[in-house]
């Protein structure tokens, strides 16, 4: 098995129900976080980590994602004619970020099913999975951090972070043995346990490095509620045959798939914007005085 990770799968076929009605006709992944859609932040993380091919698993009403990462000839010509070279350069950069492959998931049958649809493209190499809901602000891209762990422990790696016990019911949670600082050997995985039943407060976040054996595990995973195939269930089957590790990454994660989380991310990324961050900070200070 190769230790080079060059392909990343982006499941993007979900219905975005947490953001209805905004996502009724527009992909959740295209919601703008300041001046870029959510999915672009995650694709850029993958590219900065060394990914060469992005496999986007899409569904109905997701065409805008493909268009965003494609060449926009008419727009580019219009920008050239108006002398808007700076924004033209940015538009062209988006289309040249990385090689894209698109797969249609006909029904949203769970994260595990979405990953399984990428089997023919990924083939027999380890690969990354990145979820667009999780925007992580980190000095070193989180996927790059995980790749460094993978080179030392060439097996499945899950990104984790500590969460309040009261929130464990929102996540997959690991039971693990710490083998070195920030790295755990996973003993069990529990999907959305109540605070009383959670084996720890170490929650799985939307970054994974998976070995190709996950496909066989997912093919043998029984559908759960709503006929969905859960990645967590597939990982539990895989764990019987090979070790799984969890890595407590360095960085600040924003749950941009949640309305409040999205608002918080917008404020924090807005404050860091080099064009208007200072002016935005002054606005927030004045607003605070009126509340």
């Amino acid at each position: 098995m190769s230790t080079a990770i060059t392909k990343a799968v982006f499941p993007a076929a979900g219905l975005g129900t947490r953001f209805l009605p905004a996502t009724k006709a527009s992909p959740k992944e295209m919601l703008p976080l300041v001046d870029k859609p959510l999915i672009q932040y995650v694709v850029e993380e993958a590219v900065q980590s060394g990914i060469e091919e992005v496999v986007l698993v899409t569904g109905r009403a997701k065409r805008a994602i493909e268009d965003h990462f494609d060449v926009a000839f008419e727009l580019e010509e219009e920008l050239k004619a108006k002398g808007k070279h700076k924004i033209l350069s940015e538009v062209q950069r988006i289309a040249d970020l990385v090689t894209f492959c698109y797969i249609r998931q006909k029904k949203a049958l769970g994260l595990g099913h979405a990953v399984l649809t990428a089997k023919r493209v990924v083939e027999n190499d380890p690969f990354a999975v990145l979820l667009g809901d999780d925007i992580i602000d980190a000095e070193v891209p989180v996927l790059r951090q995980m790749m460094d762990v993978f080179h030392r422990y060439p097996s499945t790696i899950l990104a984790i972070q500590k969460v309040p016990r009261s929130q464990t019911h929102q996540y997959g949670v690991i039971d693990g043995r710490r083998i070195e600082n920030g790295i755990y050997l996973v003993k069990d995985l529990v999907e959305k346990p109540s605070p009383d039943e959670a084996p720890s407060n170490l929650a799985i976040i939307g970054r994974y490095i998976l070995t190709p054996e996950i496909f066989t595990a997912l093919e043998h995973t029984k559908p759960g509620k709503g006929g969905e195939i859960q990645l967590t269930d597939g990982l539990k089957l895989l764990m019987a045959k090979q070790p799984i590790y969890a890595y407590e990454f360095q960085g600040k994660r924003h749950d941009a798939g949640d309305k409040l989380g999205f608002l918080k991310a917008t404020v924090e990324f807005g404050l860091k914007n080099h064009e208007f961050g200072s002016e935005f900070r002054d606005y927030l200070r004045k607003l605070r005085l009126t509340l």
Side-chain angles (χ1 to χ4, degrees), residues 1-6 49-50 126 143-157 180 183 209 245:
M1 181 179 68
S2 171
T3 58
I5 300 167
T6 61
S49 301
L143 183 57
R144 179 71 262 172
Q145 297 177 39
M146 295 173 69
M147 287 178 176
D148 292 340
V149 175
F150 180 80
H151 289 149
R152 290 152 57 199
Y153 300 95
S155 193
T156 290
I157 311 290
E180 60 176 278
I183 301 176
I209 291 177
Y245 298 91

Side-chain angles (χ1 to χ4, degrees), residues 2-145:
S2 171
T3 58
I5 300 167
T6 61
K7 296 178 181 180
V9 176
F10 286 67
L15 300 177
T17 53
R18 287 194 290 173
F19 263 97
L20 287 171
T23 52
K24 180 176 181 288
S26 300
K28 167 189 64 177
E29 295 81 6
M30 293 301 294
L31 290 173
L33 179 54
V34 186
D35 56 357
K36 294 188 290 189
L38 291 174
I39 195 166
Q40 186 175 330
Y41 286 91
V42 187
V43 168
E44 288 176 344
E45 177 189 328
V47 172
Q48 292 163 8
S49 301
I51 293 298
E52 298 173 4
E53 184 175 0
V54 165
V55 182
L56 271 164
V57 181
T58 65
R60 292 183 66 252
K62 300 283 184 169
R63 181 62 185 270
I65 299 175
E66 299 181 31
D67 290 343
H68 179 70
F69 292 108
D70 201 356
V71 173
F73 178 77
E74 296 84 355
L75 175 60
E76 291 180 17
E77 289 300 309
E78 181 76 9
L79 293 173
K80 286 179 185 177
K82 293 184 176 180
K84 297 183 177 181
H85 301 295
K86 184 177 180 180
I87 188 63
L88 171 63
S89 177
E90 175 63 17
V91 168
Q92 292 174 330
R93 185 187 72 85
I94 293 169
D96 294 332
L97 274 172
V98 70
T99 298
F100 288 93
C101 172
Y102 297 93
I103 297 176
R104 177 67 68 92
Q105 185 184 17
K106 295 180 180 179
K107 291 184 179 180
L109 294 178
L111 178 56
H113 182 264
V115 171
L116 187 56
T117 62
K119 178 180 179 180
R120 291 187 179 181
V121 179
V122 172
E123 297 178 323
N124 294 317
D125 294 321
F127 63 102
V129 174
L130 298 93
L131 305 187
D133 285 353
D134 289 316
I135 306 297
I136 306 176
D137 189 7
E139 185 174 341
V140 176
V142 170
L143 183 57
R144 179 71 262 172
Q145 297 177 39

